[in-house]
Amino acid sequence: MNIEFLEAVIFDGLFAAVAAIGFSVISNPPRKAIYVSALLAAVGHSLRFFLMRNTSLDIGMASFFAAFAIGLLSILFAKIIRCPAEVFSFPSLLPMIPGMYAYKTVLGLVKFMQYANDDTSAAIMVDIFRNGITTVFVLFALVIGAAIPMFIFYKQSFMMTRLLK
């Protein structure tokens, strides 16, 4: 592992942490939860970046493993901070939403409507489906990856919610 790759992983995590802080502040959580959201987003996004670059995993599977790590860590920090795990897991997942794939899907739909009778419409349709399916699979992987730890550790995950009532 060279120094440039390590810098890229760190910068990826830092940018994800900044985005998670912005998403976290919207829901007005305790101050400690904002810091935890930033940490979890940095860890999750860096893990996804690392898995995509150093293994043969695609963006969907790498997102699943990163979301699973965020789910596990959020349950751990929920016990430490005495706050529901969802408070920091959801803002931490938001920077991993595949916005570029969703944008390319909508852009492809607009192009398809403009060039519906052209020879390139078949290629545009392939791009629409490729980007749309990638978007759906990554979103599905994020949801399932973050939910599995909360189902496995159901008692620990939702005990904090009951204590706060």
Side-chain angles (χ1 to χ4, degrees):
M1 189 169 4
N2 58 12
I3 194 74
E4 291 87 21
F5 180 72
L6 189 60
E7 287 176 353
V9 170
I10 290 170
F11 282 131
D12 187 68
L14 285 175
F15 290 135
V18 170
I21 289 171
F23 289 126
S24 182
V25 168
I26 293 172
S27 60
N28 197 18
R31 187 174 301 246
K32 289 185 277 187
I34 295 172
Y35 299 131
V36 171
S37 294
L39 176 68
L40 293 181
V43 168
H45 214 281
S46 296
L47 178 63
R48 183 176 82 165
F49 184 82
F50 179 81
L51 290 174
M52 286 173 53
R53 299 293 190 267
N54 284 8
T55 64
S56 62
L57 294 177
D58 62 339
I59 189 171
M61 286 304 296
S63 296
F64 172 78
F65 288 123
F68 188 79
I70 287 174
L72 285 175
L73 289 172
S74 67
I75 291 172
L76 174 73
F77 281 110
K79 291 179 102 174
I80 294 170
I81 294 181
R82 298 187 150 295
C83 192
E86 294 84 6
V87 171
F88 13 87
S89 66
F90 293 148
S92 301
L93 291 172
L94 288 176
M96 289 196 290
I97 289 178
M100 186 56 72
Y101 289 104
Y103 171 76
K104 287 180 180 179
T105 302
V106 174
L107 185 65
L109 287 169
V110 171
K111 281 184 184 178
F112 183 76
M113 296 305 290
Q114 288 177 345
Y115 306 112
N117 297 329
D118 199 4
D119 294 335
T120 62
S121 62
I124 293 171
M125 187 61 75
V126 169
D127 285 340
I128 291 169
F129 280 110
R130 182 183 303 123
N131 291 319
I133 289 172
T134 302
T135 302
V136 169
F137 280 155
V138 170
L139 289 174
F140 188 68
L142 289 174
V143 169
I144 297 300
I148 286 176
M150 291 185 194
F151 288 133
I152 292 173
F153 301 106
Y154 180 80
K155 192 172 185 178
Q156 292 87 354
S157 177
F158 292 101
M159 186 173 15
M160 299 314 304
T161 307
R162 283 187 250 132
L163 289 175
L164 292 174
K165 288 183 180 181

